[in-house]
Amino acid sequence: MKVIDEKLENIDDNIENKATFPKDMWVKCEKCKNLLYKKELEENLYVCKKCGFHFRVNADFRINMLIDNGTFREYFSDLVSKDPLNFVDIKPYKEKLESLYKKTNKNSAVITGIGKLCEKNVAIGVLDFSFFAGTMDSVVGEKIYRLGELAIKKNIPLILVSSSGGARMQESILSLMQMAKTSLIISLLKERSIPYISVLADPTTGGVTASFAILGDINIAEPDALIGFAGPRVIEQTIRQKLPDGFQRSEYLLNHGMIDVIVKRKDLKNKISDILDILSLNLNIAKKAQKHNL
Amino acid sequence: MKVIDEKLENIDDNIENKATFPKDMWVKCEKCKNLLYKKELEENLYVCKKCGFHFRVNADFRINMLIDNGTFREYFSDLVSKDPLNFVDIKPYKEKLESLYKKTNKNSAVITGIGKLCEKNVAIGVLDFSFFAGTMDSVVGEKIYRLGELAIKKNIPLILVSSSGGARMQESILSLMQMAKTSLIISLLKERSIPYISVLADPTTGGVTASFAILGDINIAEPDALIGFAGPRVIEQTIRQKLPDGFQRSEYLLNHGMIDVIVKRKDLKNKISDILDILSLNLNIAKKAQKHNL
Amino acid sequence: MQKFLDFEKPILEIQEEINKLLLDENSDSKLKIEKLEKTCEELKKNIFSSLSVWQKVLLARHPMRPYSLDYINLITDKFIEMHGDRCYGDDGAIVGGIAEINGKSFMIIGEQKGRNIEENIKRNFGMPHPEGYRKSLRLMKLAEKFNMPVVTFIDTPGAYPGLGAEERGQAEAIAHNLQEMIMLKVPIISIVIGEGGSGGALAIGVADVLAMLEYTIYSVISPEGCASILWKDASLANLAASALKLLPENLLELGVIDKIIPEPMGGAHFDIKAMSNNLKKFILEETKKLEALDIKKLLENRILKYKNMGNLFN
Amino acid sequence: MQKFLDFEKPILEIQEEINKLLLDENSDSKLKIEKLEKTCEELKKNIFSSLSVWQKVLLARHPMRPYSLDYINLITDKFIEMHGDRCYGDDGAIVGGIAEINGKSFMIIGEQKGRNIEENIKRNFGMPHPEGYRKSLRLMKLAEKFNMPVVTFIDTPGAYPGLGAEERGQAEAIAHNLQEMIMLKVPIISIVIGEGGSGGALAIGVADVLAMLEYTIYSVISPEGCASILWKDASLANLAASALKLLPENLLELGVIDKIIPEPMGGAHFDIKAMSNNLKKFILEETKKLEALDIKKLLENRILKYKNMGNLFN
Ligand SMILES: [Zn+2]
Ligand SMILES: [Zn+2]
């Protein structure tokens, strides 16, 4: 199973097909261009030791990275898109999906389930950029919705890790509506004071940023991740000028007020754990007090 | 009784003493410098017919202008400042106040009361720039608070017309606390869905802008009024450059999202009436329905 | 200046002829006019009963189509426009304000295009910045406080993809609106009156009742954008338009919209008054139905509706 | 670099002498040290028991005084700083984040000054822009959601009076905070730790318990600003400082603050750890008292408190 994708210049396209990762022992860092020993790179969570560049990693890797060993239980993995629009493409949408199912051994662009993070129960969903550029279709929307319901039912925090080209064009208006649907479930969590941590990884754009990904109680970004609404190419075409350095990168978003904190991949699990601990301290006290009063 | 003030370059100062209005028949427009026949100017609500410049007018004039003839009943007019800090000035604060009482025949920088506006009952408070530059002291804060309570008790809309140099220095921390106190009563009105219209006239600055004046359900500004937090002179001294044209004027505030609508003085009464009509239509329906259900 | 589409030109030619005859005092021109009018009506019927998807896209973007403020002026008895997001600016691409219609109050919010260069600079071609969405949210919260139903008119090529828009959180502004609209404690009626352009449309389009005028479109991406991604060729937009299933009938079938509001023969721009009347009637009727529900039920329905959006799996 | 005030110099001279002696291995230096330490303590006592108002102003602004982050680091067991207003920017002049203290969670928000040029550019000399106040409000609402008491540290010359600040609604940001804090459904404790500069201080200072450290000030205008208005001469700031009644004891008497938190001899900067301990103890004790009230009672008290602010009329 492929863990990392090539860094791709154009996240507007469906570029998952282009991702052909060298299978040899050495990997060239996309940023500093140094050759990295693959095994070492993996041990370092696919972060370049030379320059700190965070390679894209797939959803399985992230789940392994964040969830305590052996505690993850996947939910809703059987949901599969129906191609409700009979979308016509160069290759029919259905065929594209079929080939992805085979290639990735996954049914959709998100893995959802429940597990323990530093011994705390959490509901976690991770978008997979290697599946259709992590785009949100009806299935992704539905799985995130159901995951949120599960978090409510079990009264456990929700963590969503995003890496996505946005809404999936091939399901047109239905993909668009998933923005409302996923925002809805976040609203329902907020009403119930259930913590929701959003982790934005490279790249998070379009309808995913503009719905659940930006709505975290705490928004965490990985360093140097591309995060925005419009893709850089679209913006360049619109304004007819080159984009400034660092535009739409994590640091830029932090400075512009959209991100709470930038966390290196190696610190991510512990940071989330700390946040959840603090956020739940007084909720638990309140709950105990409430019970006591009843 | 003096109706209009001279336009004063420096609203940070307590400049009410400088205001000596020519008592002859002709008035020079501060903006277009044309000479205006005073009687005509008064008929035109102290707005220059040549250039539309809105002269500052005092609180009595505004009440007459907004409230149906003979329906205004003043409240809380007996409240007088105690000089709680024994404030030392060139002239003691107490003496300053005493001379203002005599000169203006008023006890404070705000007139508060109840009256009809186009036949609708309203609670109205008007700050008077000719009294201590309309600055907010404990008495102004208290009167606005009580007026808000009255609006709640009688379930009628609140209208506040501001024209003020901000919080009154001579009551230091107590003046500052009036910002919290007046914001509190606005919060209490909002909780009860009682409409609150804020009218910002020239000039509205400092702690008055930064509390009740900017918190209207609808913020109305008179044309070309100076509205801001810091006074222009303070800003110029801080940034050491000249301020751009139109800076902190009504149009600028509208463009920067702080003001709902700019209304000429001659249209003000009708516009407020329209707004109150529309805001209360469905509230009344809801109330009737509620009564019906009981 | 009048601007018409190619396939409308035969209709216009006849109408011009009619207009000429109307000035003519010759006795048999009356007969001629009657004949021409009949021909014109039939021509319209023919043309409009066999429009291609792409022609409908062009109609949705028709430069003579009524815009939000056109409808607002015709529908409302009183309208007071309100400005600003109380934070950064006032966006000309979204207008909004309190209104009275038939003795009831409404908050009306609409995306607004311009008709000439000057207007389009002010309106940014109907492409909102974050402050536009934040203004609309502010107005919706005000509507909630004063128990006013919210009516939104959707008409945008999309949220503006520019530097300032990204800087000030276009994504946040849109997402925030979605999150708040879904819980807003007053009825919301949204109507696509022209272009429904992706997230920029949805940001004011989470509603209890979502309708589209007959000749409008609503999709996740513009046909041009879709074509240039799929086939690297924006000129294949007509193909993309068909693939995207962006017409009212498609969306009705998919359960995304609740109703199609018919347009006058020839499209809304041929008879703005008739269109406004349809619209007004629709708004009043739907409001009445929604207000008959108590708030709890209203929200339950809304939540259920969006929970079930796109529930079409194997 | 250490920077001290003139009236502190005698103390420092003795301390330097002590420090020198500490390095000396001579047998009778121990005795000398003891003597000097005693002298030093007495000197401190003398100096600090007869400080003028103006000297206290200088202490409140002392460049070596601990700032918000200094206290946060010493008080909390865990602290995660959070950034941004979700609208425009992240203001360095206000810091805030979630924290754990003794097994309880808090939202801590503080105005933050810098110690050198670089820091002061980042922190804008502790003068917040609107986005700082909006960030703080966002964090307070988050605190409300997760039932966390809010602790704010006030330390600002004032809200920044600049072009951008006015443009983005400095007044609105402050007023909005006042309006929301007064209704916030968790306990709020505010502590002036240095300068309480007018509306810029109040904007994070509406609280159930408002305290001041011993050597701090809080007033509607800076003494300099007051002097230049009253006497057209900023150098008369010391006169203005007395007139403004800006010391903790004045505010306690006026019923504006609830408590004065004592500082270590010589001021907080002489013993940051001791000061932090006082502060931590104060926060924990007051939180406990406030949390004993149910929310309704808490809000009633808060409303009553601000309703009665300055009720001193004839
Ligand atoms: Zn590298
Ligand atoms: Zn004039």
Side-chain angles (χ1 to χ4, degrees):
Chain A
M1 192 199 58
K2 208 158 42 70
V3 170
I4 55 172
D5 280 305
E6 274 185 353
K7 180 95 172 180
L8 293 147
E9 281 176 28
N10 168 18
I11 58 100
D12 288 322
D13 286 5
N14 308 315
I15 33 57
E16 78 287 348
N17 291 326
K18 296 190 213 149
T20 53
F21 194 76
K23 291 186 173 71
D24 47 328
M25 280 169 52
W26 295 91
V27 183
K28 196 177 178 179
C29 172
E30 294 164 34
K31 197 173 169 193
C32 69
K33 311 297 177 197
N34 276 305
L35 281 179
L36 307 167
Y37 187 43
K38 201 176 167 184
K39 207 180 138 193
E40 222 178 58
L41 182 62
E42 188 174 345
E43 280 166 9
N44 202 35
L45 303 176
Y46 290 93
V47 174
C48 172
K49 278 209 168 162
K50 302 262 166 67
C51 74
F53 175 76
H54 282 56
F55 286 73
R56 290 182 189 164
V57 293
N58 70 13
D60 306 82
F61 187 84
R62 286 199 179 273
I63 299 237
N64 283 333
M65 190 182 100
L66 292 174
I67 298 300
D68 301 348
N69 217 341
T71 66
F72 183 67
R73 187 175 152 203
E74 192 172 355
Y75 277 77
F76 323 124
S77 60
D78 53 329
L79 286 181
V80 183
S81 173
K82 208 179 155 181
D83 184 15
L85 268 59
N86 272 309
F87 194 85
V88 183
D89 201 333
I90 305 176
K91 187 154 84 167
Y93 177 45
K94 247 183 198 149
E95 280 178 33
K96 263 194 172 172
L97 286 172
E98 290 296 339
S99 76
L100 276 169
Y101 298 151
K102 272 182 209 146
K103 202 175 117 197
T104 63
N105 205 20
K106 291 195 183 85
N107 283 336
S108 81
V110 68
I111 298 181
T112 48
I114 284 184
K116 285 184 187 294
L117 184 151
C118 298
E119 301 178 8
K120 287 173 281 286
N121 286 317
V122 296
I124 185 167
V126 183
L127 288 177
D128 200 320
F129 199 76
S130 65
F131 188 105
F132 227 117
T135 48
M136 177 157 66
D137 65 336
S138 300
V139 174
V140 169
E142 176 72 10
K143 286 176 82 170
I144 287 173
Y145 192 93
R146 290 196 194 174
L147 184 67
E149 283 186 323
L150 208 57
I152 291 173
K153 220 171 286 172
K154 296 186 179 279
N155 195 15
I156 55 176
L158 174 67
I159 298 162
L160 294 177
V161 185
S162 299
S163 176
S164 167
R168 189 176 305 163
M169 201 167 60
Q170 285 81 353
E171 296 191 15
S172 193
I173 196 73
L174 294 177
S175 288
L176 188 72
M177 289 299 143
Q178 303 314 307
M179 291 170 64
K181 180 167 172 172
T182 54
S183 299
L184 160 60
I185 192 66
I186 302 305
S187 282
L188 296 177
L189 264 92
K190 295 212 168 180
E191 265 192 347
R192 288 156 180 79
S193 293
I194 294 175
Y196 161 44
I197 313 287
S198 174
V199 180
L200 298 96
D202 185 64
T204 302
T205 62
V208 166
T209 318
S211 60
F212 63 87
I214 205 79
L215 293 175
D217 290 317
I218 317 272
N219 289 338
I220 300 175
E222 281 199 337
D224 208 33
L226 178 77
I227 301 165
F229 178 62
R233 205 183 50 171
V234 172
I235 298 173
E236 263 181 353
Q237 282 170 355
T238 306
I239 63 170
R240 289 159 206 273
Q241 61 184 77
K242 267 201 76 66
L243 300 175
D245 269 357
F247 179 67
Q248 291 187 317
R249 296 287 166 181
S250 305
E251 294 69 14
Y252 168 97
L253 266 91
L254 188 94
N255 289 334
H256 286 93
M258 301 300 150
I259 292 295
D260 278 298
V261 54
I262 297 170
V263 180
K264 289 177 187 157
R265 194 171 286 162
K266 70 173 168 53
D267 302 325
L268 191 55
K269 182 171 179 173
N270 285 332
K271 186 66 89 175
I272 293 176
S273 171
D274 280 351
I275 291 170
L276 292 180
D277 282 345
I278 299 177
L279 288 187
S280 56
L281 269 177
N282 291 20
L283 285 181
N284 293 342
I285 292 170
K287 266 173 221 154
K288 271 181 210 155
Q290 227 168 21
K291 270 187 197 158
H292 193 74
N293 287 340
L294 289 176
Chain B
M1 193 197 59
K2 206 161 42 72
V3 169
I4 55 172
D5 281 306
E6 273 184 357
K7 179 97 173 178
L8 294 147
E9 280 177 29
N10 168 19
I11 59 100
D12 289 322
D13 285 4
N14 309 315
I15 32 59
E16 76 289 349
N17 291 325
K18 297 190 211 148
T20 52
F21 194 77
K23 291 186 174 69
D24 46 327
M25 279 168 53
W26 296 90
V27 183
K28 195 175 177 182
C29 173
E30 295 164 31
K31 197 174 171 193
C32 70
K33 312 295 177 198
N34 275 305
L35 280 179
L36 307 166
Y37 187 45
K38 201 177 167 184
K39 208 181 140 196
E40 221 179 59
L41 182 62
E42 189 173 346
E43 279 165 10
N44 202 35
L45 304 176
Y46 290 94
V47 174
C48 173
K49 277 209 169 160
K50 302 262 165 66
C51 74
F53 176 77
H54 283 55
F55 285 73
R56 290 183 188 163
V57 293
N58 71 13
D60 307 81
F61 187 83
R62 286 198 178 273
I63 300 247
N64 284 332
M65 189 182 100
L66 292 174
I67 298 301
D68 302 347
N69 216 341
T71 65
F72 184 69
R73 185 173 153 205
E74 193 172 352
Y75 277 78
F76 323 124
S77 61
D78 53 329
L79 286 181
V80 184
S81 174
K82 208 177 156 182
D83 183 15
L85 268 59
N86 273 307
F87 195 86
V88 183
D89 200 334
I90 304 175
K91 186 154 83 167
Y93 177 45
K94 249 183 197 148
E95 282 179 30
K96 264 193 173 174
L97 286 172
E98 291 295 340
S99 75
L100 275 169
Y101 299 151
K102 272 183 209 145
K103 203 174 115 200
T104 63
N105 206 18
K106 289 193 185 83
N107 282 336
S108 81
V110 68
I111 298 182
T112 48
I114 283 184
K116 286 185 187 292
L117 184 151
C118 297
E119 299 178 10
K120 286 173 283 284
N121 285 317
V122 297
I124 184 168
V126 183
L127 288 177
D128 200 319
F129 199 76
S130 66
F131 190 105
F132 228 118
T135 47
M136 177 157 66
D137 66 334
S138 300
V139 174
V140 169
E142 177 72 10
K143 285 177 81 170
I144 287 173
Y145 193 93
R146 290 196 193 174
L147 184 68
E149 283 186 322
L150 208 56
I152 291 172
K153 221 172 285 171
K154 296 186 180 280
N155 195 16
I156 55 176
L158 175 66
I159 298 163
L160 294 177
V161 184
S162 298
S163 175
S164 168
R168 189 175 306 164
M169 202 168 59
Q170 285 80 352
E171 296 191 17
S172 192
I173 196 73
L174 293 177
S175 290
L176 188 71
M177 289 299 143
Q178 302 314 307
M179 290 170 66
K181 180 168 173 172
T182 53
S183 300
L184 160 61
I185 191 66
I186 303 303
S187 282
L188 296 177
L189 264 92
K190 295 212 167 180
E191 265 192 346
R192 289 156 179 80
S193 293
I194 294 175
Y196 161 43
I197 313 287
S198 174
V199 179
L200 298 96
D202 185 65
T204 302
T205 61
V208 167
T209 319
S211 60
F212 63 87
I214 204 80
L215 292 175
D217 290 317
I218 317 272
N219 289 338
I220 299 175
E222 281 199 335
D224 208 33
L226 179 77
I227 301 165
F229 177 62
R233 203 182 53 170
V234 172
I235 298 173
E236 262 180 355
Q237 281 170 354
T238 306
I239 63 171
R240 290 158 205 271
Q241 61 185 78
K242 266 201 79 66
L243 300 175
D245 268 357
F247 180 67
Q248 293 187 317
R249 295 288 165 180
S250 304
E251 294 69 15
Y252 168 98
L253 266 92
L254 188 94
N255 289 335
H256 286 94
M258 301 301 150
I259 293 294
D260 278 297
V261 54
I262 297 170
V263 180
K264 288 178 187 156
R265 194 170 288 163
K266 71 173 167 52
D267 302 326
L268 192 55
K269 182 171 180 174
N270 285 333
K271 185 66 90 177
I272 294 176
S273 171
D274 280 351
I275 291 170
L276 292 181
D277 282 344
I278 299 176
L279 288 186
S280 57
L281 269 177
N282 290 21
L283 285 181
N284 293 342
I285 291 170
K287 266 174 221 152
K288 270 181 209 156
Q290 226 168 24
K291 270 187 197 159
H292 194 73
N293 286 339
L294 289 177
Chain C
M1 203 188 65
Q2 300 207 317
K3 295 168 196 165
F4 284 95
L5 304 171
D6 282 344
F7 63 86
E8 293 178 300
K9 293 212 168 123
I11 300 167
L12 291 171
E13 277 162 20
I14 298 180
Q15 282 199 328
E16 266 167 39
E17 220 169 309
I18 295 172
N19 288 341
K20 268 184 211 155
L21 285 170
L22 281 169
L23 297 172
D24 193 351
E25 289 178 7
N26 195 320
S27 66
D28 59 60
S29 46
K30 208 184 157 189
L31 263 174
K32 275 190 199 166
I33 289 173
E34 270 173 24
K35 255 194 188 169
L36 280 171
E37 273 176 348
K38 218 175 160 187
T39 320
C40 186
E41 277 312 295
E42 270 167 30
L43 190 62
K44 267 193 202 171
K45 243 183 239 170
N46 279 337
I47 293 173
F48 275 79
S49 64
S50 60
L51 290 171
S52 71
V53 173
W54 185 245
Q55 283 173 326
K56 288 184 179 176
V57 171
L58 294 178
L59 273 175
R61 298 168 173 175
H62 198 299
M64 308 250 323
R65 239 186 125 67
Y67 296 147
S68 288
L69 282 174
D70 299 321
Y71 289 127
I72 289 172
N73 288 332
L74 284 167
I75 286 174
T76 62
D77 303 315
K78 272 185 202 162
F79 176 68
I80 297 172
E81 190 177 345
M82 294 169 66
H83 294 272
D85 64 350
R86 293 289 184 277
C87 175
Y88 179 84
D90 181 54
D91 188 354
I94 292 188
V95 297
I98 53 176
E100 184 178 332
I101 308 176
N102 284 16
K104 279 191 49 61
S105 64
F106 291 85
M107 182 65 78
I108 308 186
I109 294 161
E111 284 157 333
Q112 180 66 33
K113 294 178 175 179
R115 296 217 180 277
N116 51 45
I117 292 180
E118 199 191 350
E119 270 182 36
N120 265 322
I121 288 172
K122 184 176 171 188
R123 305 302 181 184
N124 197 33
F125 298 86
M127 291 183 282
H129 278 76
E131 41 276 20
Y133 296 119
R134 291 183 180 128
K135 167 168 72 176
S136 73
L137 181 57
R138 179 177 77 83
L139 297 185
M140 290 183 220
K141 298 300 266 181
L142 203 66
E144 189 176 55
K145 183 168 151 190
F146 291 109
N147 193 34
M148 305 161 100
V150 172
V151 176
T152 71
F153 293 137
I154 294 171
D155 191 13
T156 180
Y160 187 64
L163 289 184
E166 291 290 321
E167 233 175 67
R168 300 193 292 278
Q170 190 71 282
E172 195 281 341
I174 293 171
H176 201 151
N177 271 25
L178 303 181
Q179 183 180 276
E180 296 289 330
M181 288 184 86
I182 206 93
M183 295 296 175
L184 201 76
K185 293 188 191 66
V186 283
I188 308 175
I189 298 171
S190 289
I191 302 161
V192 183
I193 60 166
E195 276 184 286
S198 195
L202 182 64
I204 61 164
V206 175
D208 300 302
V209 173
L210 175 60
M212 291 173 80
L213 302 196
E214 192 176 352
Y215 301 118
T216 63
I217 58 173
Y218 195 1
S219 64
V220 74
I221 189 170
S222 70
E224 289 82 356
C226 179
S228 71
I229 290 175
L230 287 187
W231 302 295
K232 314 286 167 213
D233 184 354
S235 73
L236 296 175
N238 56 343
L239 283 182
S242 299
L244 284 168
K245 306 279 196 313
L246 42 57
L247 298 179
E249 50 266 36
N250 307 130
L251 272 72
L252 193 66
E253 200 189 333
L254 290 165
V256 171
I257 66 168
D258 302 287
K259 190 123 179 189
I260 300 170
I261 304 175
E263 301 197 16
M265 180 56 69
H269 57 296
F270 268 91
D271 192 344
I272 302 189
K273 274 201 181 160
M275 185 71 254
S276 297
N277 281 339
N278 288 359
L279 211 50
K280 183 171 172 174
K281 204 171 146 244
F282 178 79
I283 292 168
L284 289 172
E285 280 175 7
E286 295 299 325
T287 309
K288 206 172 172 186
K289 282 187 227 161
L290 294 172
E291 289 191 330
L293 307 170
D294 69 23
I295 286 300
K296 221 186 129 200
K297 186 67 190 160
L298 184 81
L299 286 184
E300 267 176 30
N301 289 353
R302 195 187 298 157
I303 289 171
L304 209 62
K305 172 182 173 174
Y306 283 92
K307 175 187 156 92
N308 289 326
M309 273 293 170
N311 262 1
L312 306 155
F313 319 103
N314 283 325
Chain D
M1 202 188 68
Q2 300 207 315
K3 295 168 195 164
F4 285 94
L5 303 171
D6 282 344
F7 64 86
E8 293 177 301
K9 291 208 171 126
I11 300 168
L12 291 170
E13 277 161 19
I14 298 180
Q15 282 199 328
E16 264 167 40
E17 221 169 308
I18 294 173
N19 289 341
K20 267 184 211 153
L21 285 169
L22 281 169
L23 296 172
D24 192 350
E25 290 179 6
N26 196 320
S27 67
D28 60 61
S29 43
K30 208 182 157 192
L31 263 175
K32 277 189 197 163
I33 290 173
E34 270 173 25
K35 255 193 187 167
L36 281 171
E37 274 176 346
K38 217 174 159 188
T39 319
C40 185
E41 278 313 295
E42 269 168 31
L43 191 61
K44 269 194 203 171
K45 243 183 243 171
N46 280 337
I47 293 174
F48 276 80
S49 64
S50 59
L51 290 171
S52 70
V53 173
W54 185 244
Q55 284 173 324
K56 289 185 178 175
V57 171
L58 294 177
L59 273 175
R61 298 167 172 175
H62 199 297
M64 309 250 323
R65 238 185 128 67
Y67 295 148
S68 288
L69 282 174
D70 298 321
Y71 289 127
I72 289 172
N73 288 331
L74 284 166
I75 286 174
T76 62
D77 302 315
K78 273 184 202 164
F79 176 68
I80 297 173
E81 189 176 346
M82 294 168 66
H83 293 272
D85 64 351
R86 295 287 183 276
C87 174
Y88 179 85
D90 182 54
D91 188 353
I94 292 188
V95 297
I98 53 177
E100 184 178 332
I101 308 176
N102 284 17
K104 280 192 47 62
S105 64
F106 291 85
M107 181 65 78
I108 308 186
I109 294 162
E111 284 157 334
Q112 179 67 34
K113 294 179 174 179
R115 295 217 180 277
N116 50 46
I117 292 178
E118 197 191 351
E119 270 183 35
N120 265 321
I121 289 171
K122 183 176 172 189
R123 305 301 182 186
N124 198 33
F125 298 86
M127 290 183 282
H129 278 77
E131 41 275 20
Y133 297 118
R134 292 183 179 128
K135 167 167 73 177
S136 73
L137 180 57
R138 179 177 76 83
L139 298 185
M140 289 183 219
K141 298 301 264 183
L142 203 67
E144 190 176 52
K145 183 168 151 191
F146 292 109
N147 193 34
M148 304 160 101
V150 172
V151 176
T152 71
F153 294 137
I154 294 171
D155 192 12
T156 181
Y160 187 64
L163 289 184
E166 291 291 320
E167 234 175 66
R168 300 193 292 278
Q170 190 71 282
E172 195 279 343
I174 294 172
H176 200 150
N177 271 24
L178 303 181
Q179 183 180 276
E180 296 289 332
M181 288 185 86
I182 207 94
M183 295 297 174
L184 201 77
K185 294 187 191 67
V186 283
I188 307 175
I189 297 170
S190 290
I191 302 161
V192 183
I193 61 166
E195 274 184 287
S198 194
L202 182 65
I204 61 164
V206 175
D208 300 302
V209 174
L210 175 60
M212 290 173 80
L213 302 196
E214 192 176 351
Y215 301 120
T216 63
I217 57 173
Y218 194 1
S219 65
V220 75
I221 189 171
S222 69
E224 289 82 356
C226 178
S228 71
I229 290 175
L230 287 187
W231 302 296
K232 313 288 166 212
D233 184 353
S235 72
L236 296 177
N238 57 341
L239 283 184
S242 300
L244 284 168
K245 306 280 195 309
L246 42 58
L247 298 179
E249 50 266 36
N250 305 131
L251 272 73
L252 193 66
E253 200 188 335
L254 290 166
V256 171
I257 66 168
D258 303 287
K259 189 126 179 186
I260 300 169
I261 304 174
E263 300 197 18
M265 182 55 70
H269 57 296
F270 268 92
D271 193 344
I272 301 188
K273 274 199 183 161
M275 186 70 253
S276 297
N277 281 339
N278 287 358
L279 211 48
K280 182 172 172 174
K281 201 168 148 251
F282 177 78
I283 291 168
L284 290 172
E285 280 176 5
E286 295 300 324
T287 310
K288 206 172 171 185
K289 283 186 226 160
L290 294 172
E291 288 190 330
L293 306 171
D294 68 22
I295 287 300
K296 221 186 128 200
K297 186 68 191 157
L298 184 81
L299 287 184
E300 268 177 30
N301 289 353
R302 195 187 298 156
I303 288 172
L304 208 63
K305 171 182 172 174
Y306 282 93
K307 175 188 157 90
N308 289 327
M309 273 292 171
N311 262 1
L312 305 155
F313 319 103
N314 283 327

